[in-house]
Amino acid sequence: MPDLLTIENLRAGYGEAVVLPNMSLGMPEGQVLAVLGRNGTGKTTLMNSIVGVVRRFGGSITLAGRDITSFRPDERARAGIGWVPQERNIFRSLTVEENMTAVAQPGPWTVEKIYEMFPRLKERRSNFGNQLSGGEQQMLAIGRALTLNPKVLLLDEPTEGLAPIIVEELLKAIGSITRGTGICSIIVEQNAQKILGLADRVVILERGTIVHDASSQALKADPAVLERHLGVAGAAATAH
Ligand SMILES: Nc1ncnc2c1ncn2[C@@H]1O[C@H](COP(=O)(O)OP(=O)(O)OP(=O)(O)O)[C@@H](O)[C@H]1O
Ligand SMILES: [Mg+2]
């Protein structure tokens, strides 16, 4: 089966600065990919380049057989790129519910489903975006990305600021959504330990380049790789 998302020889950055010199990555349906790497290694830039909000110098992106390279960010969203940005970017002057219905597309993820996963959002459904706590904004950003019913779900450090119990539930939900509905998910995470249980595959970035690409099984069995690329903290996190 061809990949759902294909990135080929992508060269991207900001202004004149190239952050991703030559990125190639294929994602099949049903796969959760974790992107690890130290600060400033280009994880967010990779996500942003799939969304289309950074400068592209070359290369292509194909979604379900369709070349979306020249698509604007809103066209990419409609084509099925769901995005939970690192800085959340929820609509502050819309209510919780409006944030989700503003972008909703038909599919298994309805606003009601999101409320089941995040009852807190249901309680706050009439509150405006600028009246939410950090964790609530985070839930809303995830809910908004899901009600788009994306083919590819991009999550940039989605667990930051959420209580451990919600993190656990969220990661479980991402796994079952991805595998059950045949989408693919790419999750940027700082903490390797949190994500190895969920991800099928892990890539590690250094200076905008994939320096390691392996199954999470293989990575769990070889913590030295994490130590080498992420430092002691990353490796120690897997030793528990
Ligand atoms: N808007 C921008 N303009 C210019 N350079 C940028 C911009 N955003 C990021 N960069 C640079 O691009 C490089 C990669 O940044 P990026 O945000 O992709 O890293 P990251 O791996 O997501 O880091 P973190 O773990 O801190 O979120 C860094 O050197 C950063 O300084
Ligand atoms: Mg980042």
Side-chain angles (χ1 to χ4, degrees):
M1 205 199 300
D3 283 334
L4 182 55
L5 177 73
T6 312
I7 299 172
E8 273 177 311
N9 303 117
L10 182 71
R11 192 171 168 82
Y14 309 89
E16 296 306 312
V18 174
V19 175
L20 308 177
N22 186 9
M23 175 69 61
S24 293
L25 185 66
M27 288 284 299
E29 282 180 13
Q31 193 179 70
V32 178
L33 173 76
V35 179
L36 303 177
R38 290 188 166 105
N39 292 123
T41 50
K43 304 180 298 296
T44 293
T45 306
L46 171 60
M47 303 295 247
N48 291 358
S49 64
I50 299 170
V51 176
V53 294
V54 300
R55 178 163 181 203
R56 188 184 62 88
F57 295 94
S60 66
I61 302 178
T62 309
L63 175 66
R66 205 168 158 202
D67 188 336
I68 61 164
T69 315
S70 60
F71 283 25
R72 293 190 313 259
D74 61 308
E75 294 170 326
R76 293 189 192 199
R78 248 173 289 133
I81 303 284
W83 181 38
V84 180
Q86 190 165 11
E87 65 281 4
R88 314 312 164 216
N89 285 356
I90 57 163
F91 306 124
R92 299 176 66 81
S93 57
L94 297 187
T95 64
V96 163
E97 191 143 318
E98 288 164 350
N99 259 277
M100 292 190 276
T101 52
V103 298
Q105 298 192 119
W109 283 99
T110 58
V111 171
E112 280 312 314
K113 264 264 184 66
I114 303 299
Y115 286 155
E116 272 171 40
M117 184 163 72
F118 299 127
R120 183 79 188 145
L121 284 185
K122 188 169 189 174
E123 289 165 24
R124 312 282 276 164
R125 65 198 296 169
S126 305
N127 281 76
F128 290 99
N130 61 6
Q131 299 170 325
L132 301 177
S133 74
E136 290 164 349
Q137 290 181 35
Q138 178 65 320
M139 293 175 210
L140 181 54
I142 294 163
R144 193 181 54 179
L146 286 172
T147 50
L148 185 85
N149 283 292
K151 295 188 177 77
V152 173
L153 181 59
L154 306 172
L155 302 130
D156 199 341
E157 304 201 21
T159 66
E160 219 186 352
L162 294 181
I165 180 120
I166 292 181
V167 168
E168 204 178 303
E169 204 181 311
L170 172 69
L171 295 181
K172 229 187 279 163
I174 291 167
S176 63
I177 298 156
T178 306
R179 293 172 189 121
T181 63
I183 66 169
C184 68
S185 296
I186 305 183
I187 306 187
V188 172
E189 179 53 64
Q190 293 283 347
N191 183 331
Q193 181 207 16
K194 260 194 206 161
I195 211 71
L196 282 183
L198 165 69
D200 301 293
R201 175 182 169 199
V202 177
V203 296
I204 302 177
L205 297 192
E206 265 174 32
R207 277 181 269 126
T209 301
I210 295 175
V211 291
H212 196 81
D213 183 347
S215 70
S216 11
Q217 288 304 73
L219 210 52
K220 271 188 231 166
D222 189 5
V225 172
L226 290 176
E227 184 165 0
R228 190 160 64 242
H229 294 296
L230 304 177
V232 181
T238 60
H240 295 282

